[in-house]
Amino acid sequence: MRPATTAILSALAEEQQGLIGLLREPQRVARAGREFWLGELHGTPVVLALSRMGKVAAATTATTLIEAFGAQRLVFTGVAGGIGPGVQVGDVVVAREFMQHDMDASPLFPRYQIPLYDRERFACDIVLGDALLAACHTGLRSLDLQAAVHHGLIASGDRFVSAAEEARLLHAALSDAGHPPLAVEMEGAAVAQVCHDYGVPFAAVRTISDRADDTAHVDFPKFVTEVASRYALAIIDEFVRSLNNSKA
Ligand code: ADE
């Protein structure tokens, strides 16, 4: 039986570049104004895509991966701002769940609830998430890195959080509502919702590029080019290898 097609979604071009280099028989396909790369990685059929920035763009990319390329599971890499206590630049966060910190249809629906879904959070797939956690530990060790690996809630919103006070207020508001987040980014919750709609297993990992504070705009680009792409490549290489070993 042909193994399932795994979609590897990258938030950053720098992350995707290394992956394209690892593909066997890479083939570029244009669709929905985007580029997709088909090929094989460690014997697993994969399709690579850049999410683009923001929830809508990422949802379009995820939908295209599933509808047009038949992705049967999806893994997402990128960077995030650390806002949880003890979540530092250079750490890695594997998502257990996602929520949208900018969803507010109150008073029609409770704050943060996704209208007509009756929930605030979308959970990641447990089996894929565990495989991704293991790949983080093994992959980062292969780079000789001692990065802390966290596992928990990530909050997404169409906003680059770049002020310490804003990050503090956001963390306090979400915690008061019962959703203390480890990190913020701009796409994951949208992709989690699309995967929920299609019943496609989903997992995500984010490297912490900044603390969503007043220096976030400086820390972010520096980190992306120098560190995040190496992290993502090591983690995904290990993750896909492990899928193949488990014959998933
Ligand atoms: N991605 C990386 N850093 C971020 C931040 N501070 N806010 C939103 N998304 C991010």
Side-chain angles (χ1 to χ4, degrees):
M1 199 174 67
R2 191 178 153 75
T5 296
T6 301
I8 303 169
L9 194 51
S10 309
L12 307 160
E14 289 85 346
E15 292 176 311
Q16 195 192 47
Q17 210 48 51
L19 287 173
I20 295 171
L22 294 182
L23 285 189
R24 254 191 64 198
E25 298 181 29
Q27 190 194 344
R28 187 169 68 85
V29 180
R31 186 94 178 209
R34 287 148 165 78
E35 255 187 13
F36 296 83
W37 286 89
L38 306 175
E40 216 182 84
L41 190 54
H42 302 308
T44 295
V46 296
V47 49
L48 313 183
L50 283 179
S51 63
R52 300 210 172 178
M53 282 180 82
K55 299 199 300 286
V56 173
T60 300
T61 309
T63 305
T64 308
L65 281 167
I66 296 166
E67 285 280 6
F69 295 97
Q72 287 154 283
R73 59 187 164 212
L74 204 151
V75 60
F76 194 5
T77 68
V79 293
I83 63 170
V87 182
Q88 303 298 340
V89 172
D91 289 357
V92 167
V93 177
V94 173
R96 199 189 293 276
E97 294 172 295
F98 277 98
M99 69 176 300
Q100 297 183 34
H101 67 71
D102 54 357
M103 174 56 75
D104 186 1
S106 60
L108 303 178
F109 295 89
R111 183 80 215 267
Y112 305 118
Q113 192 172 105
I114 311 296
L116 311 183
Y117 283 80
D118 200 26
R119 68 177 69 204
E120 288 85 11
R121 306 174 179 202
F122 288 97
C124 295
D125 183 76
I126 292 173
V127 175
L128 273 194
D130 283 350
L132 196 52
L133 267 174
C136 286
H137 288 292
T138 315
L140 295 175
R141 213 178 305 128
S142 76
L143 294 179
D144 248 345
L145 286 167
Q146 298 293 321
V149 179
H150 308 266
H151 191 202
L153 176 67
I154 297 181
S156 310
D158 288 317
R159 174 168 189 83
F160 187 80
V161 181
S162 57
E165 182 60 2
E166 182 189 353
R168 192 186 65 74
L169 290 173
L170 183 57
H171 188 268
L174 292 174
S175 299
D176 287 350
H179 312 293
L182 294 173
V184 280
E185 42 80 294
M186 300 177 67
E187 297 85 17
V191 175
Q193 187 170 335
V194 169
C195 288
H196 167 87
D197 287 344
Y198 283 96
V200 168
F202 170 61
V205 57
R206 293 264 169 174
T207 303
I208 301 301
S209 57
D210 57 81
R211 279 286 302 171
D213 58 12
D214 303 66
T215 61
H217 65 291
V218 183
D219 300 338
F220 174 88
K222 189 160 169 274
F223 192 86
V224 163
T225 40
E226 289 176 12
V227 185
S229 43
R230 283 198 307 135
Y231 275 40
L233 188 60
I235 293 168
I236 291 297
D237 188 47
E238 193 56 43
F239 174 75
V240 175
R241 222 187 272 272
S242 75
L243 290 181
N244 195 29
N245 288 344
S246 66
K247 300 208 179 357

